[in-house]
Amino acid sequence: MPTNKETNKKANYLVCVNTEQYSEVALHFTCYLAKKNNGAIVLLHVIEPADYKSLGMVADKMRKEKHAESQKFLSELAGKAKDWSGITPIVMVREGLIEDEIIAVVEENPTIRMLIAGVSSESSKKSKIIPPLVSVISTKLLIPMLIVPGTMTNQDMEEVA
């Protein structure tokens, strides 16, 4: 990630995404914020580890396929972000536990000023991202975290951003 003085002054937003619609809403909202604040966007998709031990040589192929699918997915979202904000996001695919990878990305990139994640009202109780992050944010992350409801409309985004 760029670390020159100009980039360090920007509001850099890390938005965590998956294939759910609420992630796209969170990205759209992030685009409003980044555009308004002359910021940068980092898209992060975390591939949760699978038990590949019993799969032998097939495991490497499966891992590569998951990474390729993630890159394609992020490329599509990056195109939408560019259309919405004029900003070309940085894309990252990581493999591991969601909370660990998010914390690692924030710690590795001191220019990130805010973490943004989407949540669906129906699935908020089953969310894999929100509870772990909320439980560790006060001890490990020194940046604010913004939870974007998946039902947020474009008008809501304009008013809030």
Side-chain angles (χ1 to χ4, degrees):
M1 197 160 153
T3 58
N4 64 37
K5 288 182 181 181
E6 183 178 312
T7 304
N8 287 336
K9 291 180 182 179
K10 286 184 177 184
N12 295 300
Y13 302 98
L14 173 63
V15 60
C16 304
V17 294
N18 60 26
T19 58
E20 299 293 333
Q21 179 62 32
Y22 58 80
S23 285
E24 191 169 309
V25 173
L27 173 59
H28 201 166
F29 184 73
T30 303
C31 288
Y32 276 101
L33 288 175
K35 186 174 181 180
K36 181 178 180 181
N37 295 305
N38 189 33
I41 301 168
V42 179
L43 278 171
L44 173 65
H45 178 69
V46 178
I47 300 169
E48 293 189 79
D51 180 16
Y52 294 118
K53 293 175 189 170
S54 61
L55 301 175
M57 295 184 69
V58 176
D60 191 45
K61 183 178 180 185
M62 290 175 66
R63 184 177 281 119
K64 287 179 182 177
E65 286 175 359
K66 280 189 174 190
H67 277 270
E69 289 170 9
S70 295
Q71 287 291 354
K72 182 180 178 192
F73 165 68
L74 287 176
S75 180
E76 291 170 6
L77 282 182
K80 289 180 181 185
K82 176 80 171 164
D83 291 344
W84 292 327
S85 66
I87 299 167
T88 301
I90 296 164
V91 297
M92 301 176 102
V93 176
R94 304 279 291 244
E95 185 175 344
L97 297 176
I98 293 170
E99 61 271 24
D100 292 345
E101 294 306 317
I102 291 170
I103 291 166
V105 168
V106 171
E107 289 175 348
E108 293 165 10
N109 298 284
T111 61
I112 294 173
R113 304 287 187 244
M114 182 179 287
L115 169 62
I116 300 172
V119 66
S120 166
S121 57
E122 301 89 45
S123 68
S124 60
K125 292 178 185 172
K126 298 182 231 173
S127 174
K128 292 182 180 182
I129 296 175
I130 307 308
L133 285 178
V134 169
S135 69
V136 299
I137 194 166
S138 63
T139 60
K140 295 191 178 182
L141 293 180
L142 300 176
I143 60 171
M145 180 175 165
L146 178 66
I147 308 299
V148 177
T151 55
M152 194 171 219
T153 66
N154 288 349
Q155 183 177 347
D156 294 336
M157 290 179 205
E158 288 177 23
E159 291 172 1
V160 174

